[in-house]
Amino acid sequence: MTASLRFEGSYRGQAATLDPATRLECKICWHVYDPAEGCEVWQVPPGTPFTALPDHWRCPVCDGARDQFMVLDAGAPEARPASAAAEPDVDPRLLAIARDVPGKLEAAFREIHAGQMRGVPMVNETLSVKAVGFRVHEGRVLGMLITPWFMNLILLPGPDEDWSHLATGAKDLVEFPSGFYEFLAAQRPEVGAYKACSLFSPMFDFSSMLQAVETAQAALVALFDPAHREPGVPSAEIRRRREAELAAMEAAQPKLPDLAPEGEPEAEDGAEALPQTLVPPPERSRREMIFGRSARPAEAP
């Protein structure tokens, strides 16, 4: 192992900062190296950190070089998803949801992409489907879902919560350290009921999947940064007023029947329903709320 080994994830080559349990992901084929599992193809035993892999090791799926792997989780404490090691008291059922739901979401939306979204003008065909950074948050599971037509925060209920009664498109205001965000209720057979908050749609700001993934990771960190919250805003009063505004709007507009055929992407999957954040004022978009007014997706390296 040479000292100059460069990682293209969050640490930009700082191998010394990698926690031994850090999982890394190939930016070419999205294969994940998990130290807890090792690598059967290269006969690497379980418990081997990425930094201790033999010099000849390459991605077992696409044969990509090891320096093409990006940090997926662990590392800096503020960017770490919840885990059994970090939070021993977390309900194991929640940890199971956080572990299993990314694959279910990816499978579902890859099918939507292949069967319903190909050739649609709002689709950025340079991108693919990827679930990023799913972790336990206040008794629920939170993460980011990237598709060629949107980037959404995804919030799933805890194992003892039932969101199945929520109507598709029903609005809910959820508070994070950086402010209030408006989520829309959704249903997918693969994962059940969940809530989604659109950050980007369409996705033409992104020229590569790597750029989109790194933006999603940065957004998840910024979501929990109180420095992004508008100072001096009376949150409880603003939430009350916003809820009253939403109730009045819904009362004034008769609900139209859902005419979408089975399996058609719901409102959170497209560009037609882009909810506004509550704090700061409505003219400020969610991406501005997280990254600042001048923010754009970081250029890919």
Side-chain angles (χ1 to χ4, degrees), residues 248-268:
M249 290 171 60
E250 290 182 354
Q253 297 179 0
K255 183 174 177 58
L256 297 176
D258 185 4
L259 301 179
E262 180 67 21
E264 189 73 17
E266 301 290 354
E268 83 281 5

Side-chain angles (χ1 to χ4, degrees), residues 3-292:
S4 61
L5 180 61
R6 177 175 182 270
F7 298 101
E8 295 198 344
S10 304
Y11 298 95
R12 301 296 182 188
Q14 300 301 313
T17 68
L18 289 175
D19 186 279
T22 299
R23 298 187 308 154
L24 288 94
E25 184 175 55
C26 177
K27 77 172 188 179
I28 300 171
C29 70
W30 310 109
H31 169 72
V32 173
Y33 176 77
D34 186 345
E37 298 178 0
C39 179
E40 184 176 354
V41 173
W42 288 92
Q43 298 182 343
V44 175
T48 304
F50 192 85
T51 53
L53 290 171
D55 291 338
H56 61 272
W57 187 90
R58 298 176 68 86
C59 177
V61 175
C62 70
D63 199 40
R66 58 193 303 145
D67 63 1
Q68 300 300 302
F69 275 66
M70 305 182 299
V71 172
L72 183 61
D73 55 38
E78 67 273 13
R80 244 181 232 180
S83 66
E87 298 186 34
D89 296 330
V90 171
D91 188 331
R93 296 175 298 170
L94 276 171
L95 296 174
I97 295 172
R99 181 190 66 239
D100 297 339
V101 79
K104 294 179 179 178
L105 284 170
E106 289 175 359
F109 282 88
R110 282 174 184 147
E111 183 176 346
I112 291 173
H113 182 209
Q116 302 174 32
M117 300 301 291
R118 293 286 186 188
V120 176
M122 67 177 293
V123 173
N124 181 350
E125 294 292 358
T126 64
L127 305 180
S128 56
V129 174
K130 184 67 180 172
V132 176
F134 277 78
R135 79 281 307 271
V136 175
H137 170 64
E138 296 184 349
R140 295 169 176 170
V141 172
L142 175 75
M144 196 81 76
L145 178 62
I146 302 168
T147 76
W149 62 99
F150 70 76
M151 182 188 295
N152 284 0
L153 283 167
I154 301 294
L155 186 65
L156 293 111
D160 295 322
E161 290 184 289
D162 181 10
W163 288 357
S164 62
H165 65 283
L166 297 177
T168 297
K171 301 177 179 67
D172 184 30
L173 298 172
V174 181
E175 185 176 13
F176 294 92
S178 58
F180 280 101
Y181 295 78
E182 188 173 277
F183 282 71
L184 300 181
Q187 297 266 354
R188 292 295 317 170
E190 301 83 357
V191 297
Y194 63 96
K195 298 176 183 179
C197 175
S198 176
L199 293 184
F200 294 88
S201 182
M203 295 286 284
F204 295 114
D205 286 335
F206 301 96
S207 59
S208 70
M209 193 62 191
L210 175 61
Q211 185 188 15
V213 168
E214 290 187 339
T215 299
Q217 292 170 334
L220 284 168
V221 173
L223 190 67
F224 295 93
D225 187 352
H228 294 280
R229 193 177 192 120
E230 188 81 358
V233 175
S235 299
E237 174 61 18
I238 289 180
R239 179 185 175 98
R240 185 194 64 77
R241 293 202 311 262
R242 181 58 173 159
E243 287 177 336
E245 291 173 3
L246 293 174
M249 290 171 60
E250 290 182 354
Q253 297 179 0
K255 183 174 177 58
L256 297 176
D258 185 4
L259 301 179
E262 180 67 21
E264 189 73 17
E266 301 290 354
E268 83 281 5
D269 304 335
E272 291 76 18
L274 299 181
Q276 299 296 316
T277 51
L278 178 58
V279 181
E283 65 269 12
R284 194 177 187 197
S285 70
R286 285 170 303 286
R287 73 185 75 174
E288 289 172 339
M289 183 173 182
I290 292 177
F291 297 108

